Amino acid sequence: MWLLTQERERRRREDAALADRTRGLLREALARHVPGTAVWVYGSLVAPGRFHEWSDVDVALESLPDNMTLEYLQSLLSADVGREADICLVGQTRLKPVIETTGERWIA
């Protein structure tokens, strides 16, 4: 039992460190690709204890720059962050209430 508890705690610490690194990479990527844009980060990345090695990143933009498509931004963020990125416009998704309630609003 003690070993199982130790393993869970080790995994929790690793997942928390991974979430912190991923948040940093995401902030850098957003600042590089859509500077000054208001975005919502939601899902497992902002839910304590939910992010793990197979998690994606969920981002909702309040607006999309003229020179950008959602698909292109998705590919850029996925490459920069090293994991799948799920991108949408907050005003065009049925998840808007969840995003605005549970997400974090960032300025890229």
Side-chain angles (χ1 to χ4, degrees):
M1 187 67 157
W2 179 81
L3 266 164
L4 185 57
T5 302
Q6 291 293 92
E7 177 61 20
R8 284 186 186 141
E9 180 58 26
R10 182 190 65 76
R11 178 51 112 188
R12 187 199 63 73
R13 284 192 311 271
E14 286 178 1
D15 289 348
L18 177 62
D20 287 343
R21 282 192 306 274
T22 302
R23 288 170 69 93
L25 290 170
L26 182 59
R27 280 191 186 277
E28 291 171 8
L30 289 166
R32 185 170 37 258
H33 300 301
V34 289
T37 301
V39 301
W40 289 88
V41 179
Y42 65 100
S44 62
L45 189 57
V46 298
R50 299 269 320 275
F51 195 79
H52 56 80
E53 65 181 308
W54 301 107
S55 294
D56 66 353
V57 293
D58 299 298
V59 178
L61 283 76
E62 291 187 5
S63 63
L64 192 61
D66 290 337
N67 63 342
M68 186 72 61
T69 66
L70 287 176
E71 294 80 11
Y72 184 55
L73 180 59
Q74 182 175 353
S75 67
L76 292 171
L77 294 181
S78 294
D80 288 353
V81 175
R83 61 188 56 247
E84 187 67 30
D86 187 13
I87 312 294
C88 67
L89 291 172
V90 72
Q92 296 179 2
T93 178
R94 63 180 174 77
L95 296 175
K96 182 178 180 178
V98 173
I99 292 168
E100 292 179 339
T101 302
T102 65
E104 294 178 7
R105 187 173 185 268
W106 297 359
I107 301 297

